[in-house]
Amino acid sequence: MRLFYKIRPQGIRLVSMLLAIFSALVIPALIFVLVVSHYQAERSIRLHLDAELGRTKTDTNRALAEFFNPLVDVTSVLANVLSDEPDDVKAASFVGVMYRTVSNVKRVTSLTVALEDGYVANLERITADVRSRHPEYPSGAGWVLRNISQPKGRAVPLLREVFYSEYPTEISTVIPTHMPDFYETQAYQAAKGSSSVYIGEVTLGAATNLPLVSIAVPIRRGDSFLGAAIANVTVTDLSKFLSENKISDNSESVILDAAGHVVAASSLAAAAAESGPAATSMTTPFDLDGVARRAMAFDELESDGSRDSGMHSFTAELDKVEYSISDFPIKNNLGLKYRALSVTPLNDFVGELRRSSRNFTILVVLLILVEAVLIVRMSRRMSRRIKRLASFISKIRAMDFGDGEVALHNVKIREVAELNSGISLLQSALRSFSLYVPLGVVRHMVDDGKALKPGVERRELTILFCDLENFSTLAQSISAEELLNYTTAYFSAATEAITRQGGTVDKFIGDAVMAFWGAPQAVNDHAARACRAAVDIVKGVEQLNEAWLAEGKRALRVRVGINSASVLVGNIGSPDRLSYTALGDGVNVASRLEGKNKELGSTICISDSTYERAKDQIVAKPLKPVSVKGRVGEFMVYELLDVVAVTDEGRKVA
């Protein structure tokens, strides 16, 4: 028969309760919502993706035809007219023909007619990109006409530039020093060897050095090549056209030639809009190489997918983003060997998905609201108790023990009851411990969280000893109760002064108090702090004396000794019994200085080392060199009279 047994707290386990609540309320609802949402999203994405990919190819071919056909038409008409009368280009009225041609086809940046006899007419819009390359152009000029001619017998061609605000309003005519070579351009050389329209890859313009796509038509009479009519469009304009015809806001359309070079990209239009004309200060105004590298990266992605009429469509991930990618050749009647790469983030295909997601979101919100109300009501009582315990622990950690209050009462949950009991025991133990061990040491132990063990370190400290004069005589002449009242009041005044200045009360030795600054928390002004504490101790005893004398009791006189030195400080003793204290010659000197007050007739005696460290913050007078027992040699001692406060106006006695 067992006479003794351990009483265990009764109640439901907190973990079991929380698991039961969340499992019953949250998990089934979330599984239901996730399954339905996933099914609807997959179905909507597939429907929309199939429709958009089929439209991509048609729209891109149509868009490019709409872009290039007007350019090809006007260039071809101009070439056909000049094939009969090539010298018409040299007539003054031909400038008007070129102006009307360029004006009617807004995407044409410049129009060039170059004849084999050395005559060139080039009319170009002065756009923001052009002006950034040629800041010397007259302000207000919207057009520039370049005429290059090489009469017979002249070795160097003549170049003239005429600037117009709008044709025929002429601003100025100049003879530039730079001679653009239109005959060496890729477009002219290709037209020379072709009998039909040539549309080339991206090259730099002969006059502006801007990236251009050229449409060239040869001017022929029979088998004779007389020259070429060339219309130029900037990469900016072609990219803007692609940008205006994108599948979605975040999609990217790239046109590549047969060699894989980028002809245009919708992203380049965005770059131009953001950077403005200043972007043309580079060799090319846009990052064609960057677009090419990105296009190559998409080309190299996993290519599993569908193939329909030459279009390869698939989905792949790049930089943690999933894309829908379509790669197909451009079908046209211009002989263009271009292909299109259309890249769209899957997140853009959200037509039906958005409606489904909205419905699912409403459903999820309703479920969460219902669950939240139930969970909050059931867990509020538990959470309130947990918060109370957490707050109580924070107070204990800050060494705020209150008046012995208990964190919780009438706790029914087992774990919470055990925790409450343990916290109350910890509070009581720390409260008792702090009465025997310096509070700073206890706080450091709590913050550090490590087990205490014997160990010391060398620190620069300021040590203070204070003692009552003729205390032994007093103890013999009064009762124990009265003696206790005296010492309690005196120790309280001393402890309060030391603590107020951040010092550590080491121990009480009879009527003496030992304290130090600089450990366990290191401080730079430990000497000044000790001096302020000493002055406060003396003032505190003087106040006690006034009250005692008024009651007809005896007055006490306190003496203080202070020394600053490098000493050993730490946990000293055995593994079973420790004391946090300081040891060394510097401690002995402080103790001896307290006794020197009787010989020197002083109240607070400080060493020269303390004086040197605190002299800017104290008022002291030198006494004389002294020697102390156990130490060889003499050193100067000072009497501490008061402390000073350093203000903006200077030193001021506190």
Side-chain angles (χ1 to χ4, degrees), residues 7 59 80 105 135 159 174 178-179 184 226 312 328 349 375 408 422-423 454 519 578 611:
I7 300 176
D59 288 351
N80 290 334
V105 185
L159 172 62
V174 298
H178 171 67
M179 178 71 69
E184 291 300 322
L226 304 179
H312 179 205
F328 54 89
F349 296 104
I375 292 172
L408 300 176
I423 291 174
L578 296 173
Y611 176 79

Side-chain angles (χ1 to χ4, degrees), residues 159-186:
L159 172 62
R160 183 184 63 159
E161 290 182 343
V162 182
F163 294 93
Y164 302 92
S165 57
E166 288 292 340
Y167 183 81
T169 305
E170 183 177 331
I171 295 178
S172 64
T173 300
V174 298
I175 306 298
T177 57
H178 171 67
M179 178 71 69
D181 192 346
F182 292 96
Y183 292 100
E184 291 300 322
T185 61
Q186 183 188 67

Side-chain angles (χ1 to χ4, degrees), residues 494-516:
T495 301
E496 182 181 346
I498 294 168
T499 304
R500 187 166 53 247
Q501 296 302 329
T504 299
V505 178
D506 186 338
K507 61 175 68 73
F508 300 105
I509 312 168
D511 62 317
V513 180
M514 173 183 171
F516 49 78

